[in-house]
Amino acid sequence: MIDYFALLQQPRRPWLDPEELKEKYHELTKVAHPDRQSSATPDSDFANINEAYRVLLDPKLRLEHLLELEGILPASHANVPEQIADVFLEIGTLIQETDRLLAKSTTTTVLSKALLRPEILEKQKLTADLLEKLETMYAGALKELKLLDQTWTSTDKTGAEPSDLSVLSSRFAYLTRWITQLKERKFQLSI
């Protein structure tokens, strides 16, 4: 397994400054780019640098990679973390109702679509409100990640508990998935 932290010359930490990461990425890709590379640098270096940047830029992927490098088993994504469990049913219900509405709107006449318009507007509002709530929760998870990072060191993990990072990774996984699903439904409702 490639250590993406080492590849991008970053410390193995839960939080990385996105601007510093971007600068290092640009610096390394200039050297490893296939159009500029010497024969000593294989094409795979450029691909690995791109993949490392993609992983380290995303908090969920970064945490998963960090936990894997540290030999810590990630939390099971089978159980919804309790910090976000209260919206789980709300999201599932809204997605199911929206999917039914979208199915109705594609198989009906113009008159039927016009009659569905108030329901579509209602679902658009509910989707926008829930999306805002999830994005607020995501921002809170980022703040928590920054706080955990302050106590983290790769040699002495007495401050940040690995289980805290593992649960936070699971929370990011759910939030990312739900935000993506709701953005997709929001777009479909706007067509």
Side-chain angles (χ1 to χ4, degrees), residues 80-88 90-91 129-145 168 171-172 174-176 178-179 182:
V80 178
E82 57 185 79
Q83 297 92 337
I84 58 174
D86 59 328
V87 295
F88 180 74
E90 189 178 355
I91 291 167
D129 291 346
L130 191 52
L131 192 52
E132 184 179 334
K133 184 176 184 177
L134 289 174
E135 287 171 342
T136 300
M137 294 172 96
Y138 188 88
L142 284 176
K143 286 180 184 176
E144 188 176 331
L145 180 62
L168 191 55
R171 193 168 1 145
F172 274 118
Y174 276 100
L175 289 171
T176 302
W178 291 340
I179 289 169
L182 288 181

Side-chain angles (χ1 to χ4, degrees), residues 120-178:
I120 289 172
L121 291 173
E122 177 193 355
K123 292 297 181 231
Q124 285 176 331
K125 169 116 177 64
L126 289 171
T127 301
D129 291 346
L130 191 52
L131 192 52
E132 184 179 334
K133 184 176 184 177
L134 289 174
E135 287 171 342
T136 300
M137 294 172 96
Y138 188 88
L142 284 176
K143 286 180 184 176
E144 188 176 331
L145 180 62
K146 287 179 184 179
L147 289 173
L148 284 172
D149 180 68
Q150 293 174 359
T151 60
W152 174 269
T153 61
S154 60
T155 56
D156 176 27
K157 297 172 208 59
T158 56
E161 290 293 323
S163 61
D164 293 341
L165 291 175
S166 187
V167 169
L168 191 55
S169 171
S170 180
R171 193 168 1 145
F172 274 118
Y174 276 100
L175 289 171
T176 302
R177 185 176 328 125
W178 291 340

